Amino acid sequence: MLMARTKLVVIFLVTWLITFTVYASNQIKGVRVWPAPENTRIVFDLAKKPDYSYFSLTGPNRLVIDFKNSENAVKLANLAKNDKRILKIRTSKAKQKGATRVVLELAQSYQTSIFPLAPAGQYGDRLVVDLYDKKSLSKKTDNTKVDGKRDIVVAIVAGHGGEDPGSIGPKGTYEKQVTLSISKRLAKLINAQKGLKAKLIRTGDYYINHNRKTRLARQYKADLLISIHADAFTSPKPRGASVLVQDPRRANSEFAKWIANRQKESELLGGAGETIKKTKDRNLALTLADMKKEHTMASSYDFAEHVVNQLKRVTKLHKKKPEGMSLAVLKSSDIPSVLIETGFISNPIEERNLNSWKHQQKLAKAIYNAVHNYFIASPPAGTLYATIGYKKHKVSRGESLSVLAKRYKVSVGELKTANNLRSSTVKIGQTLKIPRAE
């Protein structure tokens, strides 16, 4: 009798294990919530590729996700306590046997995007839920004017963010943290300069996709886009900063897409956009748009050279000239754009430097100097910088930088920056650019 009962227990346990294996072949191992100014991203970390379905409910607003053949191993109670869009994350009884139903109770109705992500880097299989505010950023921005002249707007993109850490250094430094810190320092320097205004595309630890980065820059009416990154390699040996611009082939490919759909996307073609949209002459539209694209590419490379000239004063260079690459964040045909690799986070020495606030400040100051010098030399029409410009002065016998600085009421540092001088030595007959005193 005892043996018979033992056999029944064993059979029950085996049956239960088989049933559990069939109905719970996957597991929710973690849930991460990343609030951003205009959206919230929720990431479900899973043991395997998710098999899922979802639907929305109103009165109250809810998003319901059914994970088929899955179990939940995460405490959900306080995950959304710092998010304004999600009131609560909880489980509920699923209709399908073996499924886990997760319910997101929402503050209101949002535009929703749900998609799986394959394993990458430190992460395994994931299901991503993006909740977007239906009221997007207004196309209007604060165009502060000084003496009737507008500010030059610089959009700054801190690379990566949220569940995308970017490259990770030998000691565990996340690229996303370094890029945000340098970007904030750069923005502070730019905003302290009369006639310049910085707009941070990412202000915290959250992810923004590449298309939205350029869209936000355009809505801010940016005159320049700077994307801050840190390089990495499989070997710890490579070192140095690089400055990247859009590869001409990628630029031509993007241009072809835009011009083919110019009725809807004229805003992507800058100031000539309305003319390009309205003209019935396709050849004229192509000519105007191509001129705009070529001007943007030339301006990007010109600014990139300014950045290289400044970075080499404060850090080692990996590339001594700007390099063209096919990068999504640089694809805009109407905004001059560069991507700055501030160093190799995979190199132990540079990882330590990139974590240093002093080195971050040096990098930010170098990039700021490049911004200032570039716009002094090539100011957009109608800006305060267009009224500043440079004077020219030919050095005579007995003159020095300190003498000229006093005469023109500028600092020796400003003279050195404007003329890319490493020392305070000048030669008789040398022509110097003199910044106009404010």
Side-chain angles (χ1 to χ4, degrees), residues 156 183-193 198 200 361:
I156 304 171
S183 295
K184 286 182 175 181
R185 292 176 187 279
L186 175 58
K188 188 174 181 179
L189 290 169
I190 288 174
N191 286 329
Q193 172 61 38
L200 283 166
Q361 190 67 20

Side-chain angles (χ1 to χ4, degrees), residues 119-182:
Q122 64 179 347
Y123 296 119
D125 282 291
R126 289 154 290 168
L127 184 71
V128 176
V129 178
D130 283 330
L131 304 174
Y132 291 99
D133 295 341
K134 290 187 176 180
K135 289 184 179 180
S136 61
L137 177 67
S138 170
K139 290 186 178 181
K140 295 182 180 179
T141 189
D142 178 19
N143 284 326
T144 304
K145 291 188 176 182
V146 180
D147 299 327
K149 304 296 181 181
R150 74 169 180 87
D151 287 338
I152 291 170
V153 179
V154 181
I156 304 171
V157 178
H160 307 282
E163 79 283 1
D164 175 14
S167 299
I168 302 174
K171 298 231 172 147
T173 304
Y174 284 5
E175 181 184 359
K176 66 176 183 177
Q177 296 167 341
V178 170
T179 61
L180 184 59
S181 182
I182 295 172

Side-chain angles (χ1 to χ4, degrees), residues 254-408:
E254 293 295 335
F255 169 74
K257 295 176 187 176
W258 288 332
I259 197 63
N261 196 25
R262 70 179 192 270
Q263 296 298 321
K264 291 184 179 180
E265 303 194 69
S266 62
E267 75 277 4
L268 303 183
L269 299 163
E274 281 304 305
T275 303
I276 294 167
K277 176 180 178 179
K278 291 177 181 178
T279 182
K280 295 180 180 179
D281 187 335
R282 177 173 171 78
N283 290 330
L284 175 59
L286 281 168
T287 300
L288 289 172
D290 189 58
M291 287 172 63
K292 180 64 179 176
K293 180 202 69 174
E294 292 299 323
H295 174 74
T296 299
M297 290 184 66
S299 299
S300 299
Y301 194 88
D302 186 10
F303 174 67
E305 288 187 312
H306 278 78
V307 178
V308 169
N309 287 335
Q310 292 298 323
L311 284 177
K312 68 184 180 183
R313 301 175 180 213
V314 299
T315 192
K316 179 181 174 63
L317 291 181
H318 184 64
K319 300 286 185 180
K320 294 182 179 180
K321 292 183 179 180
E323 184 178 11
M325 290 192 71
S326 180
L327 298 166
V329 74
L330 302 180
K331 70 181 184 179
S332 173
S333 72
D334 58 315
I335 307 173
S337 306
V338 302
L339 186 148
I340 302 171
E341 299 280 11
T342 53
F344 276 80
I345 202 169
S346 52
N347 178 285
I349 296 173
E350 293 205 332
E351 179 188 21
R352 185 169 63 248
N353 288 340
L354 290 170
N355 266 319
S356 162
W357 69 266
K358 287 185 179 180
H359 188 70
Q360 289 179 2
Q361 190 67 20
K362 285 181 181 179
L363 292 170
K365 180 65 174 177
I367 300 167
Y368 160 76
N369 287 339
V371 171
H372 176 72
N373 291 347
Y374 170 72
F375 283 119
I376 282 288
S378 306
T383 64
L384 183 66
Y385 264 57
T387 68
I388 300 173
Y390 287 117
K391 295 178 183 178
K392 289 185 178 181
H393 179 92
K394 185 176 284 189
V395 178
S396 301
R397 186 178 299 277
E399 292 181 331
S400 64
L401 282 187
S402 59
V403 168
L404 295 174
K406 186 174 182 180
R407 181 185 304 171
Y408 289 107

Side-chain angles (χ1 to χ4, degrees), residues 28-44:
I28 301 173
K29 299 166 63 178
V31 182
R32 289 169 286 129
V33 180
W34 302 97
E38 295 183 301
N39 70 284
T40 293
R41 170 164 285 194
I42 307 99
V43 182
F44 294 89

Side-chain angles (χ1 to χ4, degrees), residues 410-421:
V410 296
S411 70
V412 171
E414 287 174 315
L415 285 175
K416 290 174 72 173
T417 297
N419 293 279
N420 291 324
L421 298 175

